[in-house]
Amino acid sequence: MNLPILSVTLFMPLMGAVIVLLVDQRQSRMVRWIGVVFAVATLALAGMIWAATAAAGASEMRLVEHMPWIPQLDLWYTLGVDGLSAPMIFLSGLLTTVALFYSAFTVKERVKEYTFLFLLLETAMLGVFMALDMILFYVFWVVGLVPIFLLIGVWGGKRRERAAIKFFVYTLAGSVVGLLGLLAVYHSTGTFNVLDAAAARPFSASPTWATVVFWALFVAFAIRIPVFPFHTWLPDALTEAPTAGSVVLAGALLNLGGYGIMRIVLPFFPERFYTYAVEVPIITIMALMSIVYGALVCMAQWDLKRLLAYSSVAHMGYVTLGLAAASAAWLQGGDSSALNAAASGLNGAALQQFSHGIVMSAMFLLVGMISERARTRDLKAFGGLASVMPATYGLTLVTAFALLGLPGLIGFWSELFVFRGAVRLLPAAAVIGVIGMVFTAGYTLWKLVHCLFLGSLDRDRWAGLGDLLWWEKVSVWPLVILMIVLGIYPAPLVNTFNAAVNVMVQAFVLR
Amino acid sequence: MLISDYLYLAPVLSLLAGALLILLLDLLADREQMGRWGWKAALASGLLALGSTFLLGDAPVRVLNVLAYDVFTAYVWRLLLGALVLLILLGESYVRSHTDEPGLFYALLMFFAAGALLVAASTNTMMLLLAVELLSIAGTLLVGFLHADRRATQGAIRCLVYGSAMTAVMALGFSWFYGLTGTTDYALTSEALSGLWGSSPAPVIRPIALVPVLAFVLVGLVVKTGSAPFHHWLPGASDVSGGFVGASAPVAASLAILPKVAGFAALVRLTLVMLPEALDLHIVWRWPLVGILAVAAMLWGSLLGLRQHNIKRLMAFSGIAQLGYVLIGVVLATEAGLSALLVALTAYVLAEMGTFTAIAVVSQKMPLDLVSDYRGLYRRAPLLALGLLLFILSLFGMPGTAGFIGKLWLFTETFRAGYIGLLILAALSSVISLGYYGRVVRAGFMDSDAGMAPVPVPAAASVVLIAMMVGVLVLGIFPNTWLRWAQAAAQVFFASG
């Protein structure tokens, strides 16, 4: 079969977006369902991509498409997926579908533009995960910023302007730095192809240059993860974004940063990464700061959405920690147990992104549903909601347990893998990271479960809140089911990641 | 010198003929008729000029010994004439409602464009000087065209004063070259200069002594062509609250586009023909002279832009920063660098044309041109707002737009040539420019439109807007053909050696 399935998937949402543009503005019902239909179609294709990649062996690039794009600039339209990207593509498709479905019932104004932007955003996200040409990667990377900027700025909360501008300036400035880094890599290796450049090890002869370019690229991606101290745009953006925007931003868009590091920074500069993760542990400290600082802020934060945003920062800290552990593979030529640990760290980072994507999206949906009913995000006003919203309570309880890493749910596996890698290679960091987990358990149980649902109910205010409606359940249930299924039987996910990770880690080893 | 040489002047001649015809019609017809026919006559001569560039073939020709017609000239002329045609369309509704003498406006615009064409093709310092004068006189008159408006007159006087001073500076520089070499032809000047030092036992003059002369030429040329409009926007005594309007939007667009494009073509010819790489002066000219100018333009434009509340002035400063990026292409002076320069310049023209179209439409309703006039534009005129967003993104260099291709290529070549500092400054300037671009986007998309009236978009402006939007996107995503043209144009200077 010669169907270019990656291109079809990639441009499916864009096609939907164009069709949405052609529909009359007043037909908002039709616009909504066009959006959902295209998102579902893309999700189905993404599932096929995952299945095909897993079946073919996810250790190398599959379904590759390779065509000249702008030969004058040596740019190629090269797409491909491996075990690392296929689940991320699926996740992006899933969360866009959930977000558009949920929005179909909640967003009332400017539906056409909203749907258009969401579909455009999906194409941009998928493009990042599929692109194997650095500039193609960069194009999708940056194009994705515009829709999210407008989604926050136009449909966001009270302080949306500030949040949108901050988001835009932060991430665009980071992108410009990243572009310079990519150009430098091209200058050194003579190719824009991600895999060829990694094989060529840019600037291996010039440590100074390698350091500068490494940091340029690292910062560009770190802003997007985001890692402390580059995280300040995230709480504003997540708090002000409309619920569905938060879902996609927290669940899918943050993954682009970590993926960029896995696909570009780590393979290009394993040695530099090792230096700054282990020898001069700046990156590790940044990761730990994200974990501990994020968790501490959560303890003190009473705005529901801001709390979740900082929780996001903390959870993305584990991704960075896993990446830091993975870089240790560089020095471990013959030592297979250390190599295993490094693979475990990288697996953990990938898993953590996936599980964070599912769990945090579910959390944002649930919290959005509650706070939109109650018209407040102030945690102190709540309490005892379990009796009025039993279904919400049940779903939130499962999600919260997944968030704190309870065995049997998806969050457990990702943290297990991260720590398995970190304990062997960065023992001190692992210990501090575990302390962070204690805090996570603390604020999750105390605030998200106790303060919201238990305790005494303010009957006058909340008696009439009402439980989840059918479409709210339909939005949340798939995510919760995934948490449970993948928590009990994570093999499909872990095996896919692992196939790619093993090959990658081998390639880092000192040559 | 052959009669057939005049064939290659066909584009210039048809513009001049168009201008004279319009002036003649102006004598015969009343104002009403001029309003109806003036722009059509201008459009016809503009299209004729544009069409004629496609009939002239690709072979390089020396025209009357003072101009060069080659693929490079053709590229630049087509760019200029394409912009002219759009400017005429854009001016149509504006001119009719703002002036008593539509005919005169079009005649001046034609003279202006003819000057730009000649500047772009000159291979002789005296020819260049004359062409620049034609350009700047017509430009000054255009600026002062709205007689009724005191501020327009003020602007014109400022242009005149600066302009004549800069003519003197440039003429002084060229006269020095003439005195040293006894010729005004670029190529002959270059030959004579290389004979001045090197061969004889004691050089007649050291290259370093010519640096001030080069600086005179550069400053004169750049101020007269490149940044000529910006004096006009400089706040001066009157500030925003006092209602500083300045040139009308179509005039502002002409000033932002035509002289800059022509000036770059002239700068490229000077750099590669009069001061070629074989000459010791070449390197001094490129760096530090042009290089410093590039840095100054990038930083100055983006930093001062941050303080603007008037959108025309904001765009003028943004234009200066853009000019700085394009100047990097001159600093590189390689074949690929020159192709990149043409690409970036074309992207600039598209985005600027589009932006000024949007501004022209809005300023018909709200002549103060404040950024705050654009509040909630998205609700008041969706097409305008979306266009403005796209053009601003292209000016920033957002992937998927023509501006990205231009910047990407320029940056790549800058890296290849090893000008890392320049590259970092360019990136920094891009980041700073986000500050003011962001303000416009924020006003247009996020601020409420409470109390603001809808903005009707005239048909001609819609056509220009949509054409520019399509152009920015198509060239941003499928730029291959365009890049091949730019490469062919750049090859002119490198084919032989």
Side-chain angles (χ1 to χ4, degrees), chain B residues 302-303 306 318 321-322 325 395-396 407 428-438:
Chain B
S302 50
L303 285 174
L306 288 175
S318 137
Q322 298 291 329
Y325 306 131
L395 286 173
F396 167 73
K407 257 190 194 172
L428 186 67
S429 155
S430 299
V431 173
I432 297 172
S433 67
L434 276 176
Y436 51 83
Y437 290 147

Coordinates of all heavy atoms in Angstrom, one line a residue, chain B residues 302-303 306 318 321-322 325 395-396 407 428-438:
Chain B
S302 N 14.2 48.5 15.7 CA 13.4 47.7 16.6 C 13.2 48.3 18.0 O 12.2 48.3 18.6 CB 13.9 46.2 16.8 OG 15.3 46.3 17.1
L303 N 14.3 49.0 18.5 CA 14.2 49.7 19.8 C 13.2 50.9 19.7 O 12.3 51.0 20.6 CB 15.5 50.1 20.3 CG 16.4 48.9 20.8 CD1 17.8 49.4 21.1 CD2 15.7 48.3 22.0
L306 N 9.5 50.3 19.6 CA 8.8 50.0 20.8 C 8.0 51.2 21.4 O 7.1 51.0 22.2 CB 9.8 49.5 21.9 CG 10.4 48.1 21.7 CD1 11.4 47.8 22.7 CD2 9.3 47.1 21.7
S318 N 9.6 49.6 12.0 CA 9.8 48.2 11.6 C 10.4 48.1 10.3 O 11.3 47.2 10.1 CB 8.4 47.6 11.6 OG 8.2 46.7 10.6
A321 N 14.1 48.4 10.6 CA 14.7 47.1 11.1 C 14.8 46.1 10.0 O 15.8 45.4 9.8 CB 13.9 46.6 12.3
Q322 N 13.7 46.0 9.2 CA 13.8 45.0 8.1 C 14.9 45.4 7.1 O 15.6 44.5 6.6 CB 12.4 45.1 7.3 CG 11.2 44.7 8.1 CD 11.2 43.3 8.5 OE1 11.7 42.5 7.7 NE2 10.7 42.9 9.7
Y325 N 18.0 43.9 8.2 CA 18.3 42.4 7.9 C 18.7 42.3 6.4 O 19.6 41.5 6.1 CB 17.0 41.6 8.0 CG 16.3 41.7 9.4 CD1 15.0 42.0 9.5 CD2 17.1 41.6 10.5 CE1 14.4 42.1 10.8 CE2 16.5 41.7 11.8 CZ 15.1 41.9 11.9 OH 14.6 42.0 13.1
L395 N 6.6 39.7 8.6 CA 7.7 40.6 8.9 C 8.5 40.0 10.0 O 9.7 40.2 10.1 CB 7.1 42.0 9.3 CG 6.6 42.8 8.1 CD1 5.9 44.1 8.7 CD2 7.7 43.2 7.2
F396 N 7.9 39.4 11.0 CA 8.6 38.8 12.1 C 9.4 37.6 11.6 O 10.5 37.3 12.1 CB 7.7 38.4 13.2 CG 8.4 37.5 14.2 CD1 9.3 38.0 15.1 CD2 8.1 36.1 14.2 CE1 9.9 37.2 16.0 CE2 8.8 35.3 15.2 CZ 9.7 35.8 16.0
K407 N 14.3 35.3 5.8 CA 15.1 35.3 7.0 C 16.0 34.1 7.1 O 17.1 34.1 7.4 CB 14.3 35.5 8.2 CG 14.3 37.0 8.7 CD 13.7 37.1 10.1 CE 13.5 38.6 10.4 NZ 12.8 38.8 11.6
L428 N 18.3 39.0 17.9 CA 17.9 39.9 19.0 C 16.9 40.9 18.6 O 15.8 41.2 19.2 CB 19.1 40.6 19.6 CG 18.9 41.4 20.9 CD1 18.6 40.4 22.0 CD2 20.2 42.2 21.2
S429 N 17.2 41.5 17.4 CA 16.3 42.6 16.9 C 14.9 42.0 16.6 O 13.9 42.6 16.8 CB 16.9 43.2 15.7 OG 16.0 43.7 14.9
S430 N 14.9 40.7 16.1 CA 13.6 40.1 15.8 C 12.8 39.9 17.1 O 11.6 40.1 17.1 CB 13.8 38.7 15.2 OG 14.5 38.7 14.0
V431 N 13.5 39.5 18.1 CA 12.8 39.3 19.4 C 12.3 40.6 19.9 O 11.1 40.7 20.4 CB 13.8 38.6 20.4 CG1 13.1 38.6 21.7 CG2 14.1 37.2 19.9
I432 N 13.1 41.7 19.8 CA 12.6 43.0 20.3 C 11.4 43.4 19.5 O 10.4 43.9 20.1 CB 13.7 44.0 20.2 CG1 14.9 43.6 21.1 CG2 13.2 45.4 20.6 CD1 16.1 44.5 20.9
S433 N 11.4 43.2 18.2 CA 10.3 43.7 17.4 C 9.0 43.0 17.8 O 8.0 43.5 17.5 CB 10.6 43.4 15.9 OG 10.6 42.0 15.6
L434 N 9.1 41.8 18.4 CA 7.9 41.2 18.9 C 7.1 42.2 19.8 O 5.9 42.1 19.8 CB 8.2 40.0 19.7 CG 8.5 38.7 19.0 CD1 8.9 37.6 20.0 CD2 7.2 38.3 18.3
G435 N 7.8 43.0 20.5 CA 7.2 43.9 21.4 C 6.1 44.8 20.7 O 5.0 44.9 21.2
Y436 N 6.5 45.4 19.6 CA 5.5 46.3 19.0 C 4.6 45.5 18.0 O 3.5 45.9 17.9 CB 6.2 47.5 18.3 CG 7.3 47.3 17.4 CD1 7.1 46.9 16.0 CD2 8.6 47.5 17.8 CE1 8.1 46.8 15.2 CE2 9.7 47.3 16.9 CZ 9.4 47.0 15.6 OH 10.5 46.8 14.7
Y437 N 5.1 44.5 17.4 CA 4.2 43.7 16.6 C 3.1 43.1 17.5 O 1.9 43.1 17.1 CB 4.9 42.5 15.9 CG 5.9 43.0 14.8 CD1 7.0 42.2 14.5 CD2 5.6 44.1 14.0 CE1 7.9 42.6 13.5 CE2 6.4 44.4 13.0 CZ 7.6 43.7 12.8 OH 8.5 44.1 11.8
G438 N 3.5 42.7 18.7 CA 2.5 42.1 19.6 C 1.4 43.1 19.9 O 0.3 42.8 20.1

